[in-house]
Amino acid sequence: MAVETVTYVEVAAEADLAEGQMRAVQVGGKRVLVALVEGRPYAMGAVCTHERANLDEGSLMGHEIYCPLHFSCFDVRTGEALAPPADRDAQVYAVKVEDGKVFVSDAPVDPDDLDEAAADGDAPTAEAAEAEVEAVETKAPEADGTPAPVTRPSIHARVIERIEAQGWLETGAQWLGTALRPVRESRLGGHVFDMLHGRLMGHALHPALSDLPIGLWAGAILLEVVGEPDPAAILAAGGVVAGLATAATGVADWSVSDGRDRRVGLLHGITQTVALTLVAGSVALHLADIHEGAVVLLVAGTGLSMSSAYLGGHLVLGRGVMVDHTAWTVGPRAWTRAVKVDAIAEGEAEAAEVDGRRVLVSRTDGVVSAIEDRCSHAGGPLSRGAVRDGVVTCPWHGSCFRLRDGAVVKGPAQNPQPMLETRVRDGWIEVRAPRR
């Protein structure tokens, strides 16, 4: 299939691009940002795919661009959405530098074709892209005539992908999120949500409770099998009560999810609510002496709940929802320079990268301390959040941590930020991982 030739548009002089800086330009009536990173120019759509903020008004940190509105993160090289709330990639453009001038393709290109497009001016058409996808699925025969194995996503991946693409789930999630926001942001509501997140326990409460309804309902089915309907109804009723508590903690955790997780989580919650209703109906029928109907609803509700639990397992084990995102951070083992002493004033904090790890160094009441920069709740960049009275607030979901010891002041985070040892030497603040 033939490909179209890319038309390039002059957008700036090479001298206008400074290392580690970005600027907005107009290409074909669209806002595009151009950035120079490690001596190479990149171009991508300048509008955040989440809520249409101008990315060029945000921050560029290495190859990562942070949106100024909700701190979504994108890779400037590929347009990939690296962090929520954005979950759709930004478009990227081919860039050429000739005779001291910077040229950008007049249309987006596939990230995989950036180098080729920049080299020879060719960009794939829509038809070519479709043909490429078809070629991946059908796979040409090997040289000896034996068909190559077809690589397809697993059933699990295809099911989850279909769920994530449902527009009605996003619409429902936006409506429910808007309804819950005033409650969550109120003083009393904030304390209640903190409790539901499991802050008092030190880990998420929802997974611990989620086993109770299914276990009790499965026990009720077993008692029905052995001919004990009354004890079975008691277990079923107990499962309904436990299910209400589980639902409350699930709603709290869902309220601080984003993008794909939010859509899958909403479907998980809807199906579990239906299951809870079915079992509650089973208890009601038992009280009305309609035994056969009670058994049918009990089995149906339990089966639906167990099926829906698959989605919950995907969110926790596959997507890392409500797990400690700092649990695997290590290093540096030796004292390593982080920031200069005079770079941090009293009551301020500064991010630094040490041994491949980002840390947040602060000075509070004259004491220098350093904590992990990545929020333990969902990995948000604490260095992009506000610092006030010795407390830093995560810009993504509002978790608050004390800078001097990393303790959780406010959820949804349940786990404290890991601390690093600090010392001052030769005008530098040095850090290292605690000795164990």
Side-chain angles (χ1 to χ4, degrees):
M1 190 71 71
V3 295
E4 296 179 352
T5 300
V6 172
T7 301
Y8 283 87
V9 179
E10 181 182 345
V11 296
E14 185 177 9
D16 294 337
L17 299 183
E19 176 65 32
Q21 300 295 318
M22 56 184 173
R23 58 180 298 174
V25 298
Q26 289 293 321
V27 177
K30 295 184 178 180
R31 190 182 184 100
V32 175
L33 70 82
V34 179
L36 186 66
V37 180
E38 296 180 355
R40 177 173 175 174
Y42 297 94
M44 61 175 277
V47 180
C48 180
T49 60
H50 174 231
E51 287 193 1
R52 301 193 62 77
N54 292 329
L55 294 175
D56 53 279
E57 297 173 0
S59 302
L60 176 63
M61 302 172 64
H63 291 103
E64 298 176 351
I65 294 178
Y66 287 91
C67 175
L69 187 58
H70 297 112
F71 296 93
S72 296
C73 181
F74 299 86
D75 189 324
V76 71
R77 299 167 296 184
T78 63
E80 180 184 1
L82 300 175
D87 65 342
R88 290 184 293 113
D89 297 344
Q91 295 178 319
V92 292
Y93 295 74
V95 183
K96 279 186 175 182
V97 178
E98 294 179 351
D99 300 325
K101 299 177 181 179
V102 180
F103 298 86
V104 173
S105 61
D106 67 347
V109 300
D110 190 301
D112 294 336
D113 297 313
L114 278 176
D115 292 335
E116 181 180 350
D120 59 23
D122 288 337
T125 62
E127 292 81 4
E130 291 178 4
E132 182 178 350
V133 172
E134 183 179 355
V136 170
E137 292 184 348
T138 57
K139 201 78 171 173
E142 299 289 354
D144 62 0
T146 303
V150 176
T151 302
R152 294 182 181 275
S154 65
I155 294 177
H156 162 81
R158 294 201 295 271
V159 169
I160 295 298
E161 184 177 357
R162 285 182 177 273
I163 293 173
E164 293 172 346
Q166 297 301 309
W168 68 271
L169 285 175
E170 180 61 30
T171 301
Q174 291 179 359
W175 178 85
L176 183 56
T178 300
L180 289 174
R181 187 173 297 117
V183 179
R184 180 175 190 84
E185 293 179 353
S186 68
R187 181 181 294 273
L188 177 60
H191 289 306
V192 172
F193 272 60
D194 260 11
M195 180 182 68
L196 294 175
H197 288 310
R199 182 181 160 202
L200 296 178
M201 293 179 59
H203 64 77
L205 187 56
H206 180 70
L209 291 177
S210 63
D211 290 340
L212 287 176
I214 293 178
L216 290 169
W217 295 339
I221 292 175
L222 179 61
L223 288 175
E224 289 284 4
V225 170
V226 298
E228 296 290 344
D230 291 337
I234 294 174
L235 284 187
V240 170
V241 174
L244 292 173
T246 304
T249 57
V251 169
D253 290 352
W254 178 89
S255 70
V256 289
S257 62
D258 302 287
R260 292 180 291 171
D261 299 342
R262 185 167 68 164
R263 292 190 287 274
V264 175
L266 180 59
L267 183 60
H268 171 65
I270 291 173
T271 51
Q272 289 289 14
T273 300
V274 173
L276 183 63
T277 303
L278 289 174
V279 179
S282 170
V283 175
L285 290 181
H286 177 82
L287 295 176
D289 290 328
I290 307 176
H291 182 251
E292 290 184 358
V295 173
V296 170
L297 291 186
L298 174 61
V299 172
T302 304
L304 180 60
S305 181
M306 294 177 69
S307 300
S308 177
Y310 172 84
L311 297 178
H314 164 75
L315 289 172
V316 175
L317 301 176
R319 299 287 298 169
V321 173
M322 299 305 288
V323 302
D324 185 356
H325 283 248
T326 66
W328 299 274
T329 53
V330 295
R333 299 299 185 188
W335 288 108
T336 306
R337 287 183 172 182
V339 297
K340 289 188 174 181
V341 174
D342 55 9
I344 304 180
E346 174 64 31
E348 294 184 353
E350 186 76 21
E353 185 166 327
V354 291
D355 197 24
R357 174 184 184 180
R358 288 190 60 81
V359 299
L360 189 63
V361 185
S362 62
R363 188 192 301 272
T364 306
D365 297 329
V367 177
V368 174
S369 56
I371 63 174
E372 175 69 25
D373 184 45
R374 182 173 53 178
C375 177
S376 62
H377 167 239
L382 296 183
S383 55
R384 312 307 300 169
V387 175
R388 182 177 180 182
D389 298 329
V391 174
V392 61
T393 300
C394 178
W396 283 2
H397 303 110
S399 295
C400 298
F401 304 91
R402 274 202 307 264
L403 289 167
R404 69 171 183 267
D405 58 7
V408 179
V409 176
K410 176 180 176 294
Q414 313 101 36
N415 300 285
Q417 291 299 112
M419 294 288 298
L420 289 87
E421 297 178 357
T422 61
R423 73 177 185 184
V424 176
R425 176 164 294 187
D426 298 330
W428 283 82
I429 297 174
E430 297 180 341
V431 301
R432 72 176 181 186
R435 297 297 178 89
R436 298 184 185 279

